[in-house]
Structure formats: C-alpha cells, structure tokens
Amino acid sequence: MTVQIAGVASTPFGKHPDSSTRELFTDAALEALEDASLSVHDIETLYVGNFVGDVTDDQAHVGAMVADYLGARQAASMRIESACASASSAARSGVQAIESGDADVALVGGVEMMSASGIGEITDALANAADNEYENEAGLTFPGIYALMAQTYMNEFDASQEDLAAVAVKNYENGVSNPLAQRQEETDVESVLESPPIATPLNLQDCCPITDGASAAVLVSERYADEHGLGTTVEFAGSGQSSDSLALQDRRDLSRTRAAERAAETAYERADVGPDDIDVVELHDCFTIAEILAVESLGFFERGEGTRGALEGETAADGRIPVNTSGGLLAKGHPVGATGVAQLVEITKQLEGRHPNQLDDPTVGLTHTVGGSGASCVVNVLRTGGA
C-alpha cells in the first residue's frame, strides 16, 4: 500500500510576534487540508514535530494541544521529538501508520516559535540536542560544534572559507524568489566572509537564522485517495532513519555524518533508486559546512569533493543535482521542529510543478534532515505517482 501526499502547506518563515505555537500550526494544517480537499474531521492520526516548546513556551503535550485547537479531537495525536529532525520523524510515523493499516488519513507536520526568546535562552534550548554532560557543560554551542566539523573537513581536504561561502551564496539566491523564505536577499562570497564571525571558520551568513514557522502535510492511503477521488500525484517511495553518537568526541570521523549515510542507504533501497536517480533535493544546511557534508553522505559527491557542488554550479537550480531550491535553512529559515515537513512541502511542490523555483519535470525528490550534529538523521524519497 503506497502512501500518497494529498496536500501540503507551510507558513511564511521568519518572526511571528503576534502568533503562537498552536496558531501557527493550525494555519499550516488548515491550508494543507484545503490543498487536499479534506477537513479536520477526516484526520485519524496526527503527528507533530516540536523540539523546544516545553522550554520556550513552557508547554509540553503539544500533540493534544494542536489537535484540540485545530478541532481534530477525534484524532490520535502525538508530539514527536528528534531535535531538528522532529518533523521528518513525525512524517515517518504517519507513513508507518498508513502502511500498517492503522489509519488512512494522517496529518503530519511541525512547529516552532523561537524568536520571542532571547538569544541566550534559545541558544541554551537548542543546545539540548547536544550532549549536555560532555559538550554543553564544556561551553560548546551548535555553531561551535559545526565549526569543529568544518575545521576538520578543511584540514583534511584542503577546503577554504570561500568554499563554505559558496553554499550561502547559492542558497541565498534561491531564497530570493521564495515567498515563504525568511531571507529574501542575495549575497556574495565577499559579504559572507565579511559578515560577523560566530565560531571560526563560520561567520554570520554561514549560519541559519532563528525562525518561527510551521509546516503540514496530509498523507493518505492509496485506497483512500482512490475512493475519495483525491487525484494525488506524489507518493512516498522510501524512507530511512539512523543514529550516531550524541557527542562529537565519540565519532570516529568529524568530517562525515554516518547516520545520514545509513539513512540514505535505507531510503534508496526501499525506493529502489540511487543517487543518480534523484532530480531535486532539500537538505539540512543549518550551517554551510552541513550542506557539504550532506551531499557527500547522500552519494552525490565522493568524500572531500562536496565543495564542488556550489563552487562549480552542480547543486545550483540549473545544475546536475539541484539542492535547496527553496533557499534551504540558510535562507528559508529553520524553525527546528517544522523543518523536516517544510522540506517535504518544497519537494512536493517541485514534483507537482508549482514551485517558485520550478525545475523542468522532476520526478524523484529527496529530503534529508539532521538532528543535532548528526546524532539522528531522516532521509525521505518522494516520486510522482498517485491514485
């Protein structure tokens, strides 16, 4: 039984000072339901990704909260937490519920309200995705963690800050035409290098912004789509998830993300595709180095050659393997609990031919979402096809 994507939606990413967690998620959910031609009463199960709500909002039990506010009290509801991969994990849970026959209609998504918190508070909250005993207590933050990974990669493969900056330049350019993106402005290598230093070698424009936002997708069984005439055109082809050591000190190699490698291998196998079959990718570029590590982990480049992607235009919208046509986390933004399904929204729009940076007839797309510094990773493969 294949799982179909019946409707998708994201709120604009950025600052939403007049909204709340429950309101933002409801906005995305209602738009996704309208896109699917379904109502809240059709939802049988609801999975919502949310990472730091119990810290920033002083609110746990987020699944029941959003189901209540949405008007879907009949649905089985659950909050899913896997750091920045929370929404992708929520989507996998929805897929598994349908594949198992437990449900025919699942609403999956994610939400995060981050901007109302002070920079110190949100930095501390995000640090919960690292190892508190061995990393946080030693003073590491996530920019510092990814800076260590960047330094290792640069030393091992003779890469430069200019190589990192090329990723930001590409993704900022893609974000300009995306009405949902938080940063809708171009940049250049010089501007990235001259932006304020955060954690050497990462500067401000190497880092994704603090973001509020929500995303949602309506998943249905192929039988349900057929019986209700939904006319779905995109389906889940395969999904993979894996883990790694929480702390960097326990990794064999800081210049690769093994959880992503394993998750990709599983997703490719289940979808019966390989890297060469992928037409468009939305991946986890929380920092510029993260995109370089990701394109290698996903098999698009050999180890040590990932910098070629942005530098030589291979990952540009008109390149060999377009990556982050939405602008990615760097430009579109990163409301951590919502990002994974937001990536599915972007890929679905590409496959349906309605993306602001539309490619020529893509048929297979991939999403890649990393939790923390790579301790968890979800890879999903979507393709055209439907009931």
Side-chain angles (χ1 to χ4, degrees), residues 308-334:
R308 282 180 29 222
L311 277 175
E312 300 180 11
E314 293 192 53
T315 54
D318 59 353
R320 171 177 66 87
I321 177 66
V323 170
N324 288 334
T325 60
S326 69
L329 283 60
L330 286 170
K332 185 182 179 185
H334 184 27

Side-chain angles (χ1 to χ4, degrees), residues 159-294:
S160 67
Q161 283 186 281
E162 287 80 3
D163 297 335
L164 303 181
V167 174
V169 172
K170 171 183 67 73
N171 291 348
Y172 272 52
E173 181 179 358
N174 289 341
V176 169
S177 54
N178 186 352
L180 300 178
Q182 182 169 357
R183 289 169 167 166
Q184 298 181 29
E185 57 188 18
E186 292 186 355
T187 191
D188 54 35
V189 170
E190 183 178 4
S191 297
V192 177
L193 297 179
E194 292 180 353
S195 63
I198 302 299
T200 304
L202 303 176
N203 293 336
L204 182 63
Q205 291 189 10
D206 288 292
C207 310
C208 67
I210 299 298
T211 311
D212 305 330
S215 57
V218 180
L219 310 182
V220 299
S221 67
E222 184 177 7
R223 178 184 63 246
Y224 186 94
D226 184 56
E227 290 176 351
H228 292 79
L230 297 185
T232 54
T233 59
V234 177
E235 64 185 24
F236 267 83
S239 182
Q241 185 168 4
S242 188
S243 306
D244 202 347
S245 61
L246 189 61
L248 286 185
Q249 69 191 40
D250 295 321
R251 307 261 176 96
R252 285 188 293 164
D253 192 338
L254 301 190
S255 64
R256 65 192 299 181
T257 47
R258 294 181 185 272
E261 294 172 9
R262 290 189 288 266
E265 182 179 359
T266 301
Y268 288 144
E269 181 179 353
R270 291 178 177 173
D272 194 24
V273 299
D276 292 340
D277 298 307
I278 306 299
D279 298 316
V280 59
V281 179
E282 286 288 326
L283 59 74
H284 201 89
D285 60 320
C286 51
F287 301 93
T288 48
I289 183 60
E291 177 164 316
I292 293 168
L293 297 178

Side-chain angles (χ1 to χ4, degrees), residues 123 127 130-131 134-146 148 248:
T123 298
D131 190 308
Y134 291 108
E135 294 180 320
N136 301 347
E137 294 298 326
L140 273 176
T141 62
F142 268 100
I145 288 172
Y146 274 89
L148 290 174
L248 286 185

Side-chain angles (χ1 to χ4, degrees), residues 9 28 48 63 87 95 107 112 117 122 124-125 135 139 157 177 189-190 228 241 259 296 298 339 363 372:
V48 57
V95 169
L107 178 67
E112 212 75 73
S117 303
I122 197 64
D124 287 345
E135 294 180 320
F157 299 112
S177 54
V189 170
E190 183 178 4
H228 292 79
Q241 185 168 4
E296 296 180 6
L298 296 169
T339 286
T363 60

